[in-house]
Amino acid sequence: MSAAMLGAVTPTTTYYLILSALLFGIGAAGLMIRRNPLIMFMCIELMLNAVNLSFVALAVRFGNIDGQTAVFFVMVVAAAEVVVGLGLIISLLKRRPGANADDLAELRG
Amino acid sequence: MLDVIWLIPAFPLAGFLLILLFGRRLGEPRSGYLAATMVLLSFVVSVGAYFDLLSMSEEERSHVESLFSWVPVDSLQIDMAFLADPLSITMCLFVTGIGFLIHLFAIGYMHGDPKFSKFFLYLNLFVLSMTLLVLGENLLVTFLGWEGVGTCSYLLISFWHTKDANASAGKKAFVTNRIGDWGFMLAMFLGFQAIGSVSYLNLNLAAESGAIGQSTATGISMLLFVGAVGKSAQLPLYVWLPDAMAGPTPVSALIHAATMVTAGVFLMTRMNPMLAAAAPEVSVLIAWVGAITALFAATIAVAQTDIKKVLAYSTVSQLGYMFLAVGSGAFVAAIFHMVTHAFFKALMFLGSGSVIHGMHHEQDMRKMGALRKVMPVTAATFIIGWLAIAGVPPFAGFWSKDEILLFTLAERGPVLYAIGLVTAVLTAFYMTRQVIMVFFGDARWGSHANEAEAAHLEHADDETDGAEADAVDDAHPVETHGAHGEFKPHESPPIMLFPLVVLAGLAMVGGIIQLPSFGFIPSDWRHKLEDWLHPIVAPGEAEITGSSAYDAKELLAVLAIACALVGIAAAVAIYAKKMAKPVEPEILADGWGYDRAISAFMGGPGRKAFDAIAWFDKTIVDGAVNGAATTISKSAGVIRRGQTGNVRNYAGILGAGVVLLLVWFVIGRGVL
């Protein structure tokens, strides 16, 4: 069963980039709208993955390995961010009831 | 010994550090002996270096001992290096030699002072600075010592700083010297700019070879002279020296006879090729400043009543003679007079210290008299010093002063020579007056039996060093204090008399280092100092052997002796035989009102000018700085409101930024 049999169009790079932009937009909107730090965290992951998608798509498009290499770096950074970020969030949730990022403004200027 | 020339400053440094660390534990008198030993060791090294140089041929007598690279900055390479040549070793010999004697004297003089160890700490630091000054191979090392002696003089003059007068005298010395230091520094910069080096050898070589133009040489010489005027207390910067008498007497002897004030003359002699390369007007100016200072200070000395103030003005006057010599191109004579002056002036300062000590800190000569009976050794040595400074042959002062006057007549003509002669008469006059007032005539110290005055005296003793008076009482249980109704001066202990005797010996025979070429003097006894210093002073030294003054030198010497005798006779007539009432005009006692005029100026218009400058600094300069700070602080206050601590807020700003960037790329740069 191929894509052509289903009558669907062959996806070009543009489709991937549009999908990437949509995912990034959803992530960014979620980060700004939601208050639960865990959800916000997932939104960040979404944005990172959207960027990864555009990297891979463009790497394939130009036959260049650089984009894929960048993805590895992004994944390493994301992993590290999760380790530190989740630790922070969990210790915050332990300290105070509820999960509202807006309440956490103690380091404001 | 030349390889270890650095030991000369190293010993006082060691003494300074040891007393700094263990001074309290050493206490009296051990810290005094330690300090004195260190200076003695420096003296021994100096003597060794002297004999080393003596064994070399004349051209080789210049040894540079480099310790380390001090200021290595690109083209500016300055070493911590010492220069051992006849001039610096001559200076070292008398600085450390007389310094040692003064240390010994101070052990007796400062006996019982609660800050005994600290005093010797400062004294050793002073000798360290002075040896650095004279041994420095370049202007910067000399400047280090130059500032060092300035600092030490401040510390020592205001040593008894609980008294207002002492504290302000120290400040006055410090501030006045700063003006001179300004000249010194500018001279150093100018020299570096001209040839890229501040080394004496390079500067002098450049001056001799003409690598430094006449205008630059004139600038350097004039600025160095400004420095010398400050340090050596010439007009118009002499004001600090008489006030500096507030310090303990050994300090006066050390600073004002043997070391610090001679630094200016030393510097001019060291740089004499530069002076020779400068415009001839510079030398004429130096000669005039010296001569006028000599006369001016001598007139003031005539009417002083404080035993040390007379000597202080006398020092200013004698330093004027030395600058007269420098300005007449008689560098050998300047150094010669510096050496003999160090002998007899140190002797007289220490003698006055002995008198002050014996009189329980009475310094007013009007309350002395007839002290020769109770203080025979002090009196005998002081009289030798008096004959030396008055210019009576064969004492040391006669030879050096005569040499200066000879050069003055030959090089600068009869006017300056006449000023020098008048000063000589006045010198003989005021010194005779002092000797008569202190050691002869009626004993006027009996008046201390007066109850009120005695109580006052006792009080003054307590203020300075009350412990000393007690200790003196211990040593001489028979003698009693003024407060007990009876006052009796006493002779000083042997440790104070020994330096007096040695210095008296030097003041008697010191002239043999530079005897003139008179017919009756064997030819190989003549001009020893000149032969010794010759390679160093040759470029600037005046040649007068062909002049008419030189041919008449015996006659001039007789004239100088006559002047001395006239001065002595006049003083004897007025003060001893009481033929005339003492003629001491108020204006002379007041120092021509010079000091008061400066105070009035500084207190009036000067004060207003300084207030205006302070206002300018406060409103304009500080205002600009503070205004900039306030602007930044206020704008920061506005911006900090954006920092809410709300993560979503930040994310929104970030997102907006991304969108803006996108818009800019798409519309502005045409991407896509």
Side-chain angles (χ1 to χ4, degrees):
Chain A
M1 193 169 65
S2 70
M5 284 165 73
L6 293 170
V9 288
T10 311
T12 60
T13 310
T14 313
Y15 290 94
Y16 289 104
L17 288 181
I18 290 169
L19 176 62
S20 167
L22 281 173
L23 286 173
F24 191 90
I26 293 167
L31 182 69
M32 280 181 263
I33 293 164
R34 303 301 295 265
R35 292 180 181 175
N36 187 321
L38 278 170
I39 305 285
M40 289 166 76
F41 208 67
M42 288 192 282
C43 289
I44 292 172
E45 293 299 310
L46 199 59
M47 287 157 75
L48 285 172
N49 281 322
V51 172
N52 280 348
L53 180 61
S54 64
F55 266 130
V56 173
L58 287 168
V60 171
R61 164 75 176 75
F62 293 113
N64 189 328
I65 198 83
D66 289 358
Q68 316 227 9
T69 317
V71 170
F72 277 108
F73 282 104
V74 174
M75 281 160 74
V76 170
V77 172
E81 182 219 335
V82 168
V83 172
V84 178
L86 269 182
L88 280 173
I89 289 167
I90 288 169
S91 73
L92 274 172
L93 291 179
K94 270 185 182 171
R95 278 174 176 273
R96 52 176 70 229
N100 191 340
D102 286 359
D103 296 344
L104 306 171
E106 278 154 21
L107 292 180
R108 72 169 171 271
Chain B
M1 275 296 195
L2 287 181
D3 300 334
V4 290
I5 201 79
W6 52 271
L7 279 175
I8 296 176
F11 279 123
L13 177 65
F16 166 73
L17 293 175
L18 284 175
I19 300 176
L20 190 68
L21 291 174
F22 307 114
R24 239 171 239 283
R25 220 172 304 164
L26 282 170
E28 186 191 342
R30 270 176 297 177
S31 50
Y33 283 114
L34 174 72
T37 310
M38 289 303 165
V39 180
L40 180 64
L41 287 171
S42 291
F43 178 65
V44 170
V45 177
S46 307
V47 172
Y50 168 71
F51 282 111
D52 272 9
L53 285 182
L54 211 55
S55 66
M56 295 172 170
S57 71
E58 213 172 74
E59 292 75 27
E60 289 170 354
R61 283 179 191 159
S62 179
H63 178 86
V64 175
E65 185 69 25
S66 195
L67 290 190
F68 52 86
S69 183
W70 185 20
V71 187
V73 185
D74 193 32
S75 65
L76 176 63
Q77 296 289 337
I78 300 173
D79 285 353
M80 183 51 120
F82 296 131
L83 173 64
D85 66 1
L87 179 60
S88 63
I89 294 302
T90 307
M91 295 291 291
C92 274
L93 280 174
F94 83 79
V95 166
T96 55
I98 294 177
F100 167 65
L101 293 173
I102 292 170
H103 273 68
L104 275 190
F105 182 90
I107 293 173
Y109 190 84
M110 298 304 284
H111 173 61
D113 194 284
K115 294 193 290 179
F116 186 87
S117 296
K118 197 188 250 179
F119 185 73
F120 284 94
L121 179 82
Y122 292 159
L123 276 194
N124 262 12
L125 189 62
F126 192 96
V127 175
L128 162 68
S129 306
M130 191 63 201
T131 48
L132 275 182
L133 194 162
V134 298
L135 279 174
E137 183 266 341
N138 52 58
L139 280 169
L140 194 65
V141 177
T142 295
F143 189 66
L144 184 70
W146 187 274
E147 289 302 297
V149 290
T151 310
C152 291
S153 70
Y154 167 72
L155 292 171
L156 284 167
I157 290 167
S158 50
F159 185 70
W160 289 323
H161 55 79
T162 44
K163 271 199 207 158
D164 227 25
N166 296 18
S168 63
K171 274 187 279 185
K172 196 168 179 180
F174 197 75
V175 171
T176 313
N177 268 298
R178 290 287 78 66
I179 304 172
D181 297 344
W182 167 83
F184 190 118
M185 274 195 277
L186 287 189
M188 190 157 49
F189 301 153
L190 199 56
F192 176 67
Q193 199 204 17
I195 65 159
S197 168
V198 292
S199 156
Y200 287 125
L201 298 176
N202 293 343
L203 281 169
N204 284 337
L205 211 60
E208 274 179 75
S209 67
I212 290 182
Q214 198 194 36
S215 54
T216 312
T218 305
I220 294 176
S221 304
M222 276 311 297
L223 289 166
L224 283 178
F225 182 57
V226 170
V229 163
K231 201 57 89 188
S232 295
Q234 296 295 290
L235 274 173
L237 297 180
Y238 80 92
V239 288
W240 65 273
L241 203 143
D243 279 34
M245 293 301 119
T249 308
V251 173
S252 311
L254 188 61
I255 298 180
H256 311 294
T259 59
M260 178 170 154
V261 293
T262 61
V265 183
F266 163 76
L267 187 67
M268 300 313 285
T269 308
R270 176 57 92 203
M271 299 289 283
N272 72 80
M274 191 65 75
L275 210 54
E281 285 80 13
V282 177
S283 291
V284 176
L285 177 78
I286 293 174
W288 272 99
V289 167
I292 291 175
T293 307
L295 180 64
F296 180 79
T299 57
I300 299 174
V302 163
Q304 296 300 310
T305 53
D306 184 314
I307 183 169
K308 280 168 75 184
K309 281 262 169 89
V310 176
L311 295 173
Y313 280 107
S314 162
T315 302
V316 176
S317 173
Q318 298 299 311
L319 288 165
Y321 266 121
M322 292 177 215
F323 277 100
L324 179 58
V326 166
S328 307
F331 292 97
V332 173
I335 298 292
F336 182 31
H337 196 56
M338 186 201 283
V339 174
T340 57
H341 174 257
F343 292 156
F344 59 71
K345 191 51 69 65
L347 164 64
M348 283 192 289
F349 264 122
L350 294 186
S352 74
S354 179
V355 168
I356 293 167
H357 187 258
M359 290 286 292
H360 303 292
H361 289 271
E362 177 57 68
Q363 299 196 19
D364 193 336
M365 294 197 296
R366 286 169 300 193
K367 293 179 183 161
M368 296 175 186
L371 283 177
R372 71 180 188 283
K373 287 169 193 147
V374 278
M375 308 180 77
V377 180
T378 305
T381 52
F382 200 96
I383 284 168
I384 290 170
W386 158 56
L387 291 172
I389 194 177
V392 176
F395 296 94
F398 164 73
W399 305 104
S400 50
K401 198 187 287 180
D402 191 51
E403 180 115 344
I404 291 175
L405 290 174
L406 174 63
F407 271 83
T408 307
L409 181 60
E411 282 290 303
R412 295 282 170 255
V415 179
L416 284 176
Y417 177 72
I419 294 179
L421 275 190
V422 172
T423 308
V425 174
L426 283 172
T427 307
F429 178 81
Y430 67 69
M431 286 313 302
T432 312
R433 166 180 176 268
Q434 179 172 40
V435 167
I436 291 172
M437 282 178 89
V438 174
F439 294 108
F440 293 91
D442 306 326
R444 291 180 294 275
W445 29 268
S447 65
H448 283 300
N450 178 319
E451 277 297 320
E453 237 179 73
H456 173 73
L457 184 81
E458 181 75 347
H459 185 60
D461 259 359
D462 287 344
E463 261 178 5
T464 52
D465 45 1
E468 173 178 354
D470 298 341
V472 167
D473 283 345
D474 291 346
H476 310 272
V478 206
E479 284 159 8
T480 48
H481 239 248
H484 309 304
E486 191 188 342
F487 181 87
K488 191 162 163 44
H490 58 83
E491 183 60 294
S492 302
I495 196 162
M496 290 166 70
L497 295 180
F498 170 71
L500 289 179
V501 173
V502 175
L503 285 169
L506 290 170
M508 256 194 284
V509 301
I512 59 168
I513 59 173
Q514 169 78 354
L515 290 175
S517 38
F518 290 161
F520 61 91
I521 295 167
S523 59
D524 52 339
W525 281 46
R526 301 171 184 174
H527 299 304
K528 287 280 180 218
L529 187 68
E530 189 179 326
D531 296 343
W532 164 243
L533 289 175
H534 183 258
I536 295 163
V537 297
E541 185 80 356
E543 190 65 52
I544 61 159
T545 40
S547 68
S548 55
Y550 187 78
D551 298 335
K553 57 185 182 298
E554 280 92 351
L555 189 68
L556 296 177
V558 171
L559 196 57
I561 297 170
C563 282
L565 295 179
V566 165
I568 293 173
V572 169
I574 292 176
Y575 289 96
K577 305 219 171 128
K578 294 174 186 162
M579 273 158 59
K581 275 197 80 74
V583 265
E584 290 164 16
E586 190 60 35
I587 188 159
L588 293 186
D590 200 27
W592 293 102
Y594 185 84
D595 219 22
R596 264 189 311 116
I598 287 186
S599 298
F601 176 76
M602 283 303 172
R607 176 85 195 213
K608 283 203 186 96
F610 294 138
D611 280 347
I613 291 169
W615 176 87
F616 180 82
D617 182 58
K618 211 170 183 174
T619 28
I620 310 293
V621 179
D622 287 6
V625 174
N626 291 339
T630 315
T631 313
I632 289 170
S633 159
K634 277 197 179 139
S635 50
V638 173
I639 294 170
R640 76 195 276 260
R641 283 193 210 130
Q643 201 175 1
T644 55
N646 190 326
V647 184
R648 299 184 312 122
N649 212 329
Y650 294 168
I653 294 168
L654 206 69
V658 170
V659 170
L660 280 178
L661 270 180
L662 195 68
V663 168
W664 185 66
F665 269 114
V666 171
I667 296 171
R669 302 284 299 274
V671 182
L672 293 185

